[in-house]
Amino acid sequence: MGDTFYKEIGGLSKTSGSAAWVVYSTVPERIQSAAFHDKALAEQLHQELCDSEPPILMGENEIDVQINEYSRQVAEGLIPYTVILENGELLREDTYDSEIFNITAPSFAVDRPEIFSGTFWATSISEAIEKAQNDWRIKINQ
């Protein structure tokens, strides 16, 4: 099955376009976090996400996430950090050395609009917090 979906190019597995490598997060439940045509990128993201499954080759019709959505970030060596702000300030500083389990789009909490949280791609947690605060400022001024 694998031979029909990918080929070895310079030692890297790349899919033909009819399939992609999917990284599943398993916390809080098993969900597709990301998908890549390049297996090396999928494996790299898998190393950053705690409690994720090794990449699985799947047909594109079985994939629920946008393929290659995070290719640039992963290829640049950025790490997905979860940041939670309350009124633009870091909510709990002690949690930011903790494990990242899944990727979520930054948004305001429905039941608590003062809470803004999501995944921010950066080289360090301090950079991720700065990106989150900048995003928060832009969104509240819209």
Side-chain angles (χ1 to χ4, degrees):
M1 176 176 147
D3 292 336
T4 61
F5 289 108
Y6 72 93
K7 57 185 174 177
E8 295 291 326
I9 302 174
L12 298 177
S13 297
K14 297 212 181 212
T15 64
S16 65
S18 60
W21 298 95
V22 177
V23 178
Y24 276 90
S25 299
T26 59
V27 173
E29 60 190 38
R30 187 176 189 261
I31 59 167
Q32 293 180 8
S33 290
F36 302 92
H37 286 123
D38 187 331
K39 184 179 182 183
L41 293 177
E43 288 175 342
Q44 189 173 337
L45 180 61
H46 162 64
Q47 296 302 314
E48 297 296 342
L49 294 177
C50 298
D51 289 328
S52 67
E53 296 178 3
I56 300 169
L57 187 61
M58 297 176 66
E60 287 185 0
N61 61 335
E62 302 173 283
I63 299 172
D64 299 328
V65 296
Q66 183 179 335
I67 298 170
N68 296 324
E69 181 175 5
Y70 306 114
S71 291
R72 181 190 57 78
Q73 293 92 329
V74 175
E76 290 177 6
L78 300 177
I79 299 167
Y81 290 99
T82 299
V83 178
I84 303 170
L85 303 176
E86 182 174 16
N87 296 314
E89 297 300 320
L90 192 59
L91 184 59
R92 288 185 310 262
E93 191 165 350
D94 61 309
T95 64
Y96 295 100
D97 289 330
S98 67
E99 302 163 325
I100 290 97
F101 293 103
N102 56 39
I103 299 169
T104 58
S107 64
F108 289 95
V110 175
D111 56 340
R112 293 191 56 201
E114 72 278 11
I115 303 295
F116 182 71
S117 65
T119 301
F120 295 87
W121 295 82
T123 57
S124 67
I125 187 57
S126 58
E127 181 184 342
I129 293 167
E130 185 178 318
K131 285 182 175 186
Q133 289 173 325
N134 287 338
D135 235 24
W136 175 81
R137 280 192 278 286
I138 290 168
K139 290 190 186 305
I140 62 163
N141 288 319
Q142 288 181 345

